[in-house]
Amino acid sequence: MAGHSKWSNIKRRKGAQDAKRGKLFMKLAREIFMAARQGGGDPEMNPNLRLAVDKAKSNNMPNENIDRAIKKATGDLEGVNYEEYTYEGYGPGGVAVMVKVLTDNKNRTAADVRHAFNKNDGNLGENGCVSFMFDRKGYLVVDRGETEADEEELMLEAIEAGAEEMETTEDQFEIYAEPESFSDVKAALEKSGYSFVTSEVTMIPETYTPLDEEGVEKMLKLIDMLEDNDDVQEVYHNLDADEAILEKLS
């Protein structure tokens, strides 16, 4: 049965926000930088770098930007050193929030993240306070309007390639895989002619926290304030918002 996906709702809105802000390339470059610095500059030998490069290309980031980020990480170009941190806390109404950052100034970033939580009826917590509510998963989305394959055919191909499960909504097929299998699943489905609206390794909530319109509005303000910070790479949360409310507030 086609149904409503809380997760795809979150991702659709986030994608629209990223496109609107125009900061996406900078954040993608930092992600590539960190992956290359930690595992080397060859995407064939560095799975995390390969994921970061694929994500950048899917967002139409120019190859020269990708190459420059890798060269900075490997010392071929002078660049800033970034460190990766994850902050955890609660938004309005107890919504679980994880904030992944890459920063060259931890004190500045920590203060900015704390300020965003405090200003929007949230509170920053200790490490581990909400991370247990999320699973790291590969996530692939196929637009139902852009493929002739039916649900059963795609599911069989995805499972055979190593995916864990697939969910069907009114608009799309959502495929989930373990992070270690993500690249293989993606490559196999691309070879079969599928293209993806979204393809990334991300944090999927195990449960969702519903809020009324006032709570959703406060939560969206918190998300926007965090995502507008140049040091913030990703904001993961488990907000359950009615689609009508999201459309009204967007």
Side-chain angles (χ1 to χ4, degrees):
M1 280 292 289
H4 169 68
S5 168
K6 299 182 181 72
W7 180 240
S8 67
N9 206 337
I10 290 170
K11 296 302 292 182
R12 275 202 302 272
R13 183 186 178 279
K14 184 183 182 305
Q17 291 296 98
D18 280 341
K20 185 170 66 176
R21 279 200 314 275
K23 294 184 177 182
L24 187 56
F25 285 177
M26 180 189 68
K27 298 191 180 207
L28 291 168
R30 287 192 187 187
E31 195 168 330
I32 291 168
F33 175 94
M34 283 299 294
R37 196 181 74 172
Q38 292 171 352
D42 183 357
E44 296 302 317
M45 303 297 293
N46 182 347
N48 288 331
L49 178 58
R50 186 164 65 248
L51 289 174
V53 169
D54 285 349
K55 183 177 177 181
K57 288 182 176 179
S58 71
N59 283 282
N60 300 314
M61 186 173 178
N63 287 332
E64 61 190 52
N65 295 39
I66 295 172
D67 292 340
R68 186 162 57 246
I70 293 174
K71 287 178 179 177
K72 284 183 179 180
T74 55
D76 294 332
L77 287 176
E78 186 176 348
V80 179
N81 282 327
Y82 296 106
E83 298 295 335
E84 184 174 13
Y85 301 96
T86 300
Y87 298 98
E88 302 180 34
Y90 296 92
V95 172
V97 184
M98 294 177 64
V99 186
K100 176 184 169 185
V101 306
L102 288 177
T103 180
D104 59 350
N105 186 327
K106 182 183 179 183
N107 292 335
R108 177 197 68 217
T109 305
D112 288 347
V113 170
R114 186 178 300 277
H115 174 66
F117 275 89
N118 291 342
K119 187 174 181 180
N120 294 284
D121 289 351
N123 60 284
L124 198 58
E126 299 293 326
N127 284 345
C129 68
V130 301
S131 56
F132 68 93
M133 302 181 193
F134 296 81
D135 292 320
R136 188 166 181 262
K137 296 287 183 184
Y139 178 68
L140 298 145
V141 178
V142 176
D143 189 326
R144 294 184 69 178
E146 295 183 5
T147 179
E148 296 180 359
D150 62 22
E151 180 179 1
E152 185 175 354
E153 178 184 349
L154 176 55
M155 181 182 292
L156 287 173
E157 289 195 58
I159 298 299
E160 187 175 330
E164 284 188 318
E165 62 176 317
M166 188 180 86
E167 294 180 1
T168 303
T169 71
E170 294 176 2
D171 304 318
Q172 57 198 28
F173 300 113
E174 300 180 3
I175 300 160
Y176 299 87
E178 287 297 325
E180 298 77 14
S181 305
F182 172 78
S183 293
D184 291 340
V185 174
K186 183 183 178 188
L189 293 178
E190 284 178 334
K191 189 175 181 180
S192 294
Y194 295 101
S195 58
F196 306 104
V197 177
T198 300
S199 61
E200 63 182 340
V201 174
T202 186
M203 301 297 288
I204 306 288
E206 292 182 351
T207 60
Y208 291 82
T209 301
L211 295 180
D212 59 16
E213 183 173 334
E214 182 181 356
V216 171
E217 184 172 17
K218 290 178 180 178
M219 185 62 200
L220 295 185
K221 286 180 179 178
L222 170 59
I223 295 168
D224 285 344
M225 190 169 179
L226 288 169
E227 290 184 341
D228 278 338
N229 187 307
D230 289 347
D231 296 331
V232 172
Q233 291 293 112
E234 297 284 353
V235 179
Y236 306 112
H237 58 83
N238 71 339
L239 170 65
D240 178 7
D242 184 87
E243 192 157 359
I245 292 177
L246 282 177
E247 289 179 2
K248 179 181 178 182
L249 295 176
S250 296

